[in-house]
Amino acid sequence: QVQLVQSGAEVKKPGASVKVSCKASGYTFTSYGISWVRQAPGQGLEWMGWISAYNGNTNYAQKLQGRVTMTTDTSTSTAYMELRSLRSDDTAVYYCARFLWFGELFYGMDVWGQGTTVTVSS
Amino acid sequence: QSVLTQPPSVSAAPGQKVTISCSGSSSNIGNNYVSWYQQLPGTAPKLLIYENNKRPSGIPDRFSGSKSGTSATLGITGLQTGDEADYYCGTWDSSLSAGGVFGGGTKLTVL
């Protein structure tokens, strides 16, 4: 079955970096994009950006530009999200999701990972 | 402050119908497809509706979506206690800072 499995929880100090992985299975990895969405405690969903697994093109949320990098490894069907210069307000659950982008149109995010909790604390 | 506006909460009795609105602008809902997500407590979001009104396989026809102009609506009929969750609308925003956007979420309570 189609699924995305994310790496485990992380605890980081302010100023550090975190890299979360998202391993895809059950579909042709390069036929879809992967997006990253985060959710701070008790808050709503925040879109972080997406990467095309076909050509590696990325689109990042403006507020995260310069601190976030999304990459893929097509040999292992794995996507990665690295966030640098962590602050306390980066504490959140981070989700990857299959991103349905076809013909320059966004259709939705149909398969989600289980989430990775990232805690930033001194 | 979310780009898309949803009511913070809605409620209805089991068996009844409820609608959740999502309001945006011409740069997002007005010119892009809307999707809807259900998030049960402590779980990842789940796609309910894509391309404004299409249901993925496995989503019951109790859930429906519609779009008119710069607003979209999620409808749920035959409410069940298991429908208690947070619901989010999402779309693409084609403005200068192009990217995905979500509503602030609506908490559905089934009384």
Side-chain angles (χ1 to χ4, degrees):
Chain A
Q1 73 282 22
V2 176
Q3 62 177 351
L4 300 174
V5 178
Q6 299 182 222
S7 49
E10 304 264 11
V11 179
K12 296 292 183 180
K13 293 194 183 304
S17 298
V18 69
K19 192 170 186 177
V20 179
S21 69
C22 170
K23 183 171 177 58
S25 61
Y27 71 97
T28 301
F29 183 65
T30 51
S31 294
Y32 297 85
I34 293 287
S35 62
W36 292 88
V37 175
R38 68 180 181 178
Q39 186 170 36
Q43 301 302 307
L45 302 177
E46 179 185 10
W47 185 81
M48 300 178 66
W50 78 283
I51 180 168
S52 166
Y54 173 72
N55 59 18
N57 287 350
T58 55
N59 178 279
Y60 301 139
Q62 194 169 42
K63 70 174 285 189
L64 296 174
Q65 290 271 5
R67 287 207 301 139
V68 68
T69 301
M70 296 175 189
T71 57
T72 59
D73 181 343
T74 56
S75 69
T76 60
S77 299
T78 302
Y80 299 91
M81 186 283 299
E82 181 180 33
L83 189 60
R84 300 176 293 279
S85 303
L86 288 168
R87 311 186 289 246
S88 58
D89 63 355
D90 291 317
T91 294
V93 177
Y94 288 75
Y95 295 102
C96 62
R98 193 168 73 168
F99 194 75
L100 304 179
W101 178 269
F102 306 110
E104 302 300 313
L105 291 172
F106 168 59
Y107 288 78
M109 290 172 272
D110 68 337
V111 181
W112 292 66
Q114 82 276 19
T116 296
T117 300
V118 175
T119 303
V120 183
S121 174
S122 56
Chain B
Q1 190 80 359
S2 302
V3 173
L4 307 179
T5 301
Q6 297 181 235
S9 63
V10 296
S11 62
Q16 297 301 302
K17 174 183 177 178
V18 72
T19 60
I20 297 173
S21 60
C22 175
S23 177
S25 69
S26 59
S27 68
N28 43 66
I29 292 178
N31 284 284
N32 291 282
Y33 292 131
V34 176
S35 47
W36 289 90
Y37 305 87
Q38 176 193 60
Q39 187 176 33
L40 298 168
T43 69
K46 174 183 177 182
L47 179 66
L48 286 180
I49 299 289
Y50 68 98
E51 201 178 333
N52 299 334
N53 55 18
K54 294 181 169 54
R55 284 176 286 104
S57 63
I59 301 300
D61 59 7
R62 300 188 300 108
F63 296 90
S64 64
S66 64
K67 186 184 107 167
S68 178
T70 59
S71 293
T73 301
L74 174 70
I76 312 173
T77 60
L79 276 172
Q80 304 173 359
T81 55
D83 296 331
E84 274 209 354
D86 294 320
Y87 292 83
Y88 295 89
C89 58
T91 188
W92 188 258
D93 193 297
S94 307
S95 62
L96 282 177
S97 55
V101 290
F102 288 104
T106 299
K107 169 67 177 176
L108 168 63
T109 301
V110 181
L111 302 167

